[in-house]
Amino acid sequence: MGDTRYISSTLKSASDSSRGLDKAIKRRKSLQRRLELASETSERLSSVWSKHPSSRLRFGQGVTDLADVKGPSTPGFHATRDEGERFIALSAIEIARYQELLYANGAHGSNRRLLIVLQGMDASGKGGIVRHVFRQVNPMGIHYHGFGRPTDEEASHDFLWRIRRELPANGWMSIFDRSHYEDVVMPNVYQSMEEDAWRRRYDVIRRFEKELVADGCAVVKIFLVVSREAQRKQFLERLDDPTKYWKFDVSDLEARDRWDDYMAAWQDVFENTSTDYAPWYIVPADNRWYSRAVVSELLRVTLKSMELSWPGADFDFDEARRRLES
């Protein structure tokens, strides 16, 4: 009960701070003051977590074994679903503010950008995260791409060829629903490639992501942990609703039959590709509100940590005003 009261009070404080920022914008307060208010709001939102996701859910730090992560759990956020939804709504507003700042800097030559990788078993909630976490952002500056089985053209190139084509432009955020990691997990599970061949891809991926980060692209990698029982319920809901038949694919059942193989393959991925510059976050996902809150928190904090300022005028300000007022 104490945690619930604290979270409710903190969310109210964050809401008040966010409204204060809206007033500061309307009253044309200094840009520095606006950035300070944005930072204060974000920090208040972060304080609802008893253990922050950036450490509690980071592979190699708060998580070392995928088998230890339980889908129904909500580590670090001891509150109700309603409070989780309030958090997501408030965080989405602040993400939109930071996204506009990122885009403005990109338009003025900054190479800062952000790549979000979403992975998980079927019905783990990847699509719902995109709809809810990014609900307030401006479509200009957001690029979403879902990766499926490689086309003939894609398969004729290096496995990163199709990935590079979808990377964010300067000032943009790209969201990958599945990614280059399918190109090590699938050969591992189905033994469709010699082990030495797909294992060599780990080195390629680490270099690729290190180069991205060095060139100004932050990389946030999320694996959504859904339990077999929660997945079963999701699949049955799709079969019970004619409007969701299109979401169901019989191949999903084959992957379900190989559940343990997939979990072992993903554990191998995390051990080989969770790095200081591009760590993996392992997120329980049976409670959709919780996984959305975690992704929202990680995204907002990543944008805030870029410490961007509003670009200054690159034109003759006085001359422009004179012409408009004449």
Side-chain angles (χ1 to χ4, degrees), residues 13-211:
S13 177
S15 179
D16 291 342
S17 180
S18 183
R19 285 196 295 271
L21 177 53
D22 287 335
K23 291 178 182 178
I25 293 171
K26 290 179 181 178
R27 295 172 182 173
R28 298 182 181 178
K29 296 291 185 180
S30 71
L31 294 181
Q32 182 59 35
R33 180 54 182 155
R34 297 182 203 179
L35 291 171
E36 289 171 355
L37 286 169
S39 179
E40 289 173 12
T41 303
S42 184
E43 288 171 2
R44 288 176 182 176
L45 285 170
S46 291
S47 70
V48 306
W49 301 88
S50 61
K51 293 183 178 178
H52 199 266
S54 62
S55 58
R56 175 61 182 82
L57 302 179
R58 180 170 173 160
F59 186 83
Q61 187 169 342
V63 178
T64 57
D65 193 330
L66 180 56
D68 293 335
V69 181
K70 308 305 179 185
S73 64
T74 59
F77 199 102
H78 306 296
T80 65
R81 174 175 180 166
D82 286 344
E83 287 164 335
E85 295 289 356
R86 285 177 60 200
F87 174 89
I88 296 165
L90 286 169
S91 186
I93 294 171
E94 302 312 310
I95 286 172
R97 299 189 202 275
Y98 282 118
Q99 183 238 341
E100 184 179 12
L101 183 58
L102 177 65
Y103 186 79
N105 276 267
H108 280 254
S110 169
N111 65 349
R112 297 313 304 271
R113 53 207 191 279
L114 175 61
L115 171 62
I116 304 107
V117 173
L118 295 177
Q119 293 280 174
M121 295 293 282
D122 298 301
S124 58
K126 297 185 294 296
I129 282 177
V130 175
R131 290 192 301 274
H132 287 78
V133 173
F134 300 91
R135 69 179 80 170
Q136 296 284 351
V137 299
N138 188 334
M140 180 61 72
I142 298 291
H143 174 62
Y144 167 85
H145 189 82
F147 290 94
R149 184 188 298 274
T151 64
D152 289 342
E153 180 186 20
E154 290 170 343
S156 70
H157 293 272
D158 174 81
F159 77 101
L160 288 179
W161 180 79
R162 63 175 183 162
I163 303 298
R164 294 182 186 278
R165 299 177 73 191
E166 307 297 338
L167 290 173
N170 290 344
W172 282 61
M173 294 194 295
S174 283
I175 306 147
F176 286 179
D177 183 339
R178 303 190 189 279
S179 67
H180 42 295
Y181 285 99
E182 298 293 316
D183 294 295
V184 287
V185 169
M186 299 302 281
N188 184 346
V189 172
Y190 292 96
Q191 300 179 7
S192 57
M193 182 185 297
E194 292 293 330
E195 182 172 348
D196 287 348
W198 61 259
R199 281 201 173 277
R200 282 197 295 271
R201 290 179 171 180
Y202 283 143
D203 286 333
V204 176
I205 288 172
R206 286 192 295 266
R207 287 197 302 271
F208 169 63
E209 292 178 349
K210 189 171 186 177
E211 289 168 1

Side-chain angles (χ1 to χ4, degrees), residues 264-302:
W266 279 110
Q267 176 73 20
D268 195 63
V269 164
F270 305 144
E271 291 175 356
N272 282 279
T273 64
S274 191
T275 59
D276 290 340
Y277 48 86
W280 275 102
Y281 298 99
I282 316 302
V283 182
D286 282 13
N287 292 296
R288 299 301 171 88
W289 64 265
Y290 174 78
S291 56
R292 293 165 186 169
V294 169
V295 175
S296 184
E297 176 68 18
L298 292 173
L299 173 58
R300 195 191 69 256
V301 168
T302 299

